[in-house]
Every structure is written in structure tokens, then in C-alpha cells.
């Protein structure tokens, strides 16, 4: 028995643990002797909408998204793939150096050099509210936020992956 359980990459766990229940439910059982103090933390790269992490995300009492101000207009937004702008008819090598993020408010180009300052000014914002006691919260973050990955690298990876279902699934999951 433990008051804290941390499970990583839960979308790779089987739905059932042999003849027992779900591995996630088994982990929850390990915390039942710690009422009021128990913490269960699950994270994973999502795989399918039916995977463990998406099911937990969708069923959470409150879901959070990281939002930041545009460096040009100050409009608050989360990084979304549809705002990454590039010419998909060009090869990946061209796309990697000719891609930007477009503000969903002022439509000006947000460059990779803006990302760090945007992140410093950002905050987690609840996407929904719940009445009563919040028992579960969820956070979602995609690769566009990474300080080590440029918008161009993401777009180039899309160009390289788009015609192969297996590599495209890996791209989408990330």
C-alpha cells in the first residue's frame, strides 16, 4: 500500500492484467488505505481515443491547457497544429526552414525565437468547471511547446510522415 502511485506511458499497458482488473484500477487499489492523502499520477503519449490516457483525460473533472500571449497582439492562445503554416508541396528540407506559427488572433507570424518568452508568460487554464469537489484533473501538452523542437522541424516531420500510416500515427500521437 502506498499514498502515491506514478505510472508512465500507460497507453502501452494492457487493458487487463491477466485474470485481474485493469492495471490502472490495481494501482488505485494500492492507495485505498490512504484516504485524503492518496495521489495517482498517470501520463503517456496518447495512442488512440480509446487508449488509457485519452479515456482518463476525457473523464477528468477538470482539464487544463497551457495558454500564452502572442508576442505581437497579446492574444491568449494554446499551440495548435492547424496554426503551423508551411507549404506542403515543398520538400521537408525546405519546409524545415520556412515554417512559422500563425497567431489565431492577429494572424502575424510567431517564430521559434518567440517561444521561450511566450512560455514564460503562459499559464495553465482550466477548460471546464465542475461543481463540487474536484477529484481528478488532466493536462494536455503537444510537441509544439517543446523548446528543443522548432515549428519547422515539426512541419518537416509531417511532410516525411504523411504518406506512411505508421509514421503518420507516430507524428499525430506526439
Amino acid at each position: 500500500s502506498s499514498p502515491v502511485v506514478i505510472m508512465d506511458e500507460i497507453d502501452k499497458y494492457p487493458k487487463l492484467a491477466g485474470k485481474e482488473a485493469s492495471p490502472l484500477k490495481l494501482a488505485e487499489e494500492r492507495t485505498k488505505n490512504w484516504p485524503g492523502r492518496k495521489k495517482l499520477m498517470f501520463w503517456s503519449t496518447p495512442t488512440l481515443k480509446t487508449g488509457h490516457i485519452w479515456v482518463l483525460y476525457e473523464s477528468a473533472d477538470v482539464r487544463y491547457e497551457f495558454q500564452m500571449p502572442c508576442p505581437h497582439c497579446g492574444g491568449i492562445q494554446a499551440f495548435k497544429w492547424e496554426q503551423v503554416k508551411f507549404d506542403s508541396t515543398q520538400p521537408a528540407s525546405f519546409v524545415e526552414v520556412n515554417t512559422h506559427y500563425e497567431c489565431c488572433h492577429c494572424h502575424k507570424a510567431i517564430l521559434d525565437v518567440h517561444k521561450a518568452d511566450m512560455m514564460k508568460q503562459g499559464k495553465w487554464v482550466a477548460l471546464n468547471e465542475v461543481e463540487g469537489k474536484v477529484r481528478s484533473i488532466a493536462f494536455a501538452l503537444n510537441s509544439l511547446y517543446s523548446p528543443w523542437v522548432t515549428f519547422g522541424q515539426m512541419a518537416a516531420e509531417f511532410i516525411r510522415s504523411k504518406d506512411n500510416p505508421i509514421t503518420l500515427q507516430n507524428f499525430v500521437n506526439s
Side-chain angles (χ1 to χ4, degrees):
S1 161
S2 175
V4 177
V5 174
I6 300 170
M7 300 176 81
D8 189 16
E9 291 298 337
I10 65 169
D11 262 17
K12 294 177 177 68
Y13 292 16
K15 294 285 183 193
L16 297 174
K19 294 181 181 179
E20 296 192 51
S22 153
L24 305 185
K25 288 294 183 187
L26 292 172
E28 189 174 349
E29 281 294 309
R30 301 296 176 258
T31 65
K32 71 181 178 184
N33 291 330
W34 301 91
R37 293 187 49 209
K38 69 180 179 181
K39 301 279 185 245
L40 291 111
M41 292 172 264
F42 305 122
W43 51 79
S44 186
T45 302
T47 54
L48 303 170
K49 287 280 189 185
T50 56
H52 292 299
I53 203 70
W54 271 113
V55 170
L56 286 172
Y57 179 80
E58 293 292 327
S59 65
D61 293 337
V62 181
R63 290 176 296 283
Y64 286 87
E65 173 180 79
F66 196 76
Q67 298 179 357
M68 309 147 298
C70 170
H72 308 294
C73 71
I76 303 299
Q77 61 199 299
F79 280 148
K80 304 285 185 188
W81 174 247
E82 53 272 7
Q83 295 305 117
V84 177
K85 303 301 177 185
F86 59 95
D87 183 349
S88 63
T89 65
Q90 294 294 327
S93 58
F94 177 87
V95 167
E96 189 162 349
V97 294
N98 291 285
T99 296
H100 68 274
Y101 190 88
E102 184 179 277
C103 174
C104 62
H105 301 288
C106 70
H107 305 289
K108 289 187 179 175
I110 296 173
L111 306 176
D112 294 300
V113 298
H114 297 125
K115 200 187 295 191
D117 285 337
M118 290 175 72
M119 295 288 289
K120 287 177 192 171
Q121 298 174 58
K123 64 181 180 178
W124 287 101
V125 176
L127 298 176
N128 63 309
E129 295 180 19
V130 66
E131 291 187 25
K133 184 174 182 176
V134 174
R135 294 195 150 305
S136 61
I137 59 172
F139 299 87
L141 203 61
N142 63 52
S143 294
L144 293 173
Y145 290 91
S146 174
W148 301 285
V149 179
T150 67
F151 298 129
Q153 287 170 326
M154 292 290 297
E157 184 61 29
F158 172 76
I159 295 294
R160 289 185 199 100
S161 303
K162 67 183 173 103
D163 296 326
N164 181 324
I166 293 171
T167 57
L168 182 60
Q169 179 181 0
N170 184 65
F171 173 82
V172 170
N173 290 350
S174 294

